[in-house]
Amino acid sequence: PLYSSAASDVYKRQSGVAAATSVAAFTSPEVAARLSYLLWSGARDATLDAVADSGGLASVAGIEAEARRMLAAPQAQAAIRSFHGQLTGVGQLGTMPKSQLLYPDWTPELAKALAEEPGRFADAVIREGDGALASLFTATFTVTDPIVGQLYAATGSGPRYELDARERAGLLTLPGVLAAHSSVDQSNPVKRAVWVREMLLCQELVPPPNDAVLELPKVEPNVSTRERFRQHRDDPACAGCHTLLDPVGLGFEHYDAIGRYRALDAGTPVDATGEIVGEPADIAGPFNGATELAQKLATSAAAQHCMGRQWFRYALGREPSGEDDCARATTLDKFSASNGNIRELVVAIATSDSFRFRKVEP
């Protein structure tokens, strides 16, 4: 789950003003603290403090005005980067080994730049761009360091690079994301599919049985990844789960274990055809390559709903409970009404009852 740990810590220390009901409204200074952790990852400024001291955060209108101001400010980069670092799982790249024999370009400097790229890209979309979830999935540019620009074989000196739309589309094809969900010596269709289903579609997958063999098929000369993974679908003990996973993950086969685009795998042209089997129904069916999958997600109500859930969880610093259902539903409705604008989503969360009130323990 995505949590702002700093926010979670400060929430535990807040008490709110007790009401005659089972909930209590947070005070203006407490709301200011919550806003600062949600939108700026803990930073404060004199304007926010002044508004809080005057009681200006006691109303929805006051909170909305401050949330919009803060979300547009450069300080919002910190929270946007934190959220997308957790969403994409790139934080592990600094300690993730890659085969130096197969991937000599993999260095600590490259790993660091790749880990920073999703947040920098997301900030360019959300704070500086149109804010649309669809753009987060389909944009054909990135913001990164020259060392990553070389990995893309992109022209220009950065930090913004225009990319080949046939090869790259938004979050799904950022090299760091692909590298984080790969293995030491090969791409990993299963890990990539699990990430899509769990983090972008919010699906709960059944864990593998205790006696399952979790080793990947070994790399073999002249045998493609698709061929090596065929055993998952041929083995009845594996097919149940891997029917949901492998057809998704194999759609990413144009990208190797460090996220570099490739036309060949084991000497043969890459087959990146994939399929969403089962749920969600609104994007079920075949696709060809990660860029087509990104287009599917960009129009998916299920993906939009999931992103709303992820931000809601991050903002609260805890797992939502049944008592948050009404606030969460209202927030998701506003997100949908905005055509998937993430800025509007975050503002809706900041003005929601779950963010402004707490439960009073008996």
Side-chain angles (χ1 to χ4, degrees):
L2 280 70
Y3 297 139
S4 172
S5 58
S8 180
D9 180 62
V10 77
Y11 295 170
K12 293 174 183 175
R13 300 195 301 269
Q14 294 176 329
S15 58
V17 175
T21 63
S22 59
V23 297
F26 289 110
T27 66
S28 277
E30 288 173 335
V31 171
R34 294 169 77 81
L35 285 174
S36 70
Y37 281 106
L38 167 60
L39 301 174
W40 287 356
S41 287
R44 299 281 287 271
D45 70 355
T47 300
L48 178 61
D49 286 337
V51 172
D53 290 344
S54 69
L57 299 178
S59 67
V60 169
I63 294 172
E64 179 177 346
E66 272 304 282
R68 292 190 183 281
R69 178 186 73 84
M70 294 173 69
L71 191 56
Q75 294 96 314
Q77 292 177 26
I80 291 172
R81 293 182 181 188
S82 171
F83 174 87
H84 289 89
Q86 293 182 57
L87 181 75
T88 57
V90 293
Q92 62 186 310
L93 287 175
T95 58
M96 178 174 283
K98 298 290 181 181
S99 168
Q100 286 299 299
L101 178 64
L102 298 174
Y103 309 107
D105 294 338
W106 187 256
T107 63
E109 293 75 20
L110 177 60
K112 181 177 183 293
L114 291 177
E116 293 173 349
E117 185 182 11
R120 297 177 69 179
F121 164 70
D123 181 64
V125 171
I126 296 170
R127 193 176 58 83
E128 299 175 348
D130 61 12
L133 177 60
S135 296
L136 202 64
F137 282 133
T138 63
T140 56
F141 74 89
T142 191
V143 180
T144 190
D145 290 344
I147 191 173
V148 182
Q150 293 173 11
L151 188 72
Y152 284 116
T155 58
S157 58
R160 180 176 172 125
Y161 294 90
E162 300 300 326
L163 306 175
D164 188 334
R166 296 167 297 180
E167 299 179 1
R168 304 286 175 173
L171 280 180
L172 268 68
T173 59
L174 295 180
V177 178
L178 297 159
H181 303 288
S182 294
S183 298
V184 173
D185 60 350
Q186 60 180 297
S187 64
N188 190 323
V190 175
K191 286 181 68 174
R192 290 172 175 180
V194 168
W195 175 66
V196 170
R197 286 199 177 270
E198 289 188 340
M199 301 303 291
L200 302 183
L201 295 172
C202 293
Q203 296 179 339
E204 294 186 12
L205 300 174
V206 177
N210 294 332
D211 60 350
V213 178
L214 301 181
E215 292 184 359
L216 291 179
K218 292 182 179 180
V219 176
E220 299 178 45
N222 304 318
V223 181
S224 70
T225 304
R226 183 176 290 269
E227 287 300 314
R228 289 187 291 108
F229 274 73
R230 190 177 301 279
Q231 70 185 62
H232 284 166
R233 300 186 299 284
D234 292 343
D235 186 342
C238 302
C241 293
H242 286 278
T243 297
L244 296 176
L245 298 176
D246 290 17
V248 176
L250 289 169
F252 288 87
E253 274 305 291
H254 270 302
Y255 311 96
D256 66 14
I258 63 171
R260 187 169 41 203
Y261 187 87
R262 61 185 180 183
L264 302 176
D265 177 23
T268 61
V270 167
D271 177 359
T273 55
E275 184 179 3
I276 300 287
V277 177
E279 298 294 332
D282 67 344
I283 56 172
F287 63 90
N288 190 353
T291 56
E292 280 195 14
L293 177 58
Q295 294 290 339
K296 278 179 169 282
L297 291 173
T299 62
S300 169
Q304 184 183 99
H305 186 273
C306 180
M307 188 64 74
R309 287 180 61 186
Q310 299 286 31
W311 269 106
F312 197 84
R313 181 184 290 121
Y314 179 85
L316 296 187
R318 60 173 173 80
E319 190 67 29
S321 66
E323 294 169 344
D324 298 301
D325 286 351
C326 183
R328 187 166 61 176
T330 299
T331 296
L332 293 175
D333 285 346
K334 291 180 179 179
F335 187 32
S336 178
S338 72
N339 293 318
N341 187 288
I342 297 172
R343 292 194 295 261
E344 295 303 317
L345 166 66
V346 176
V347 171
I349 293 170
T351 55
S352 70
D353 287 349
S354 289
F355 194 81
R356 296 170 51 237
F357 294 88
R358 69 169 182 88
K359 181 181 178 181
V360 176
E361 300 296 338

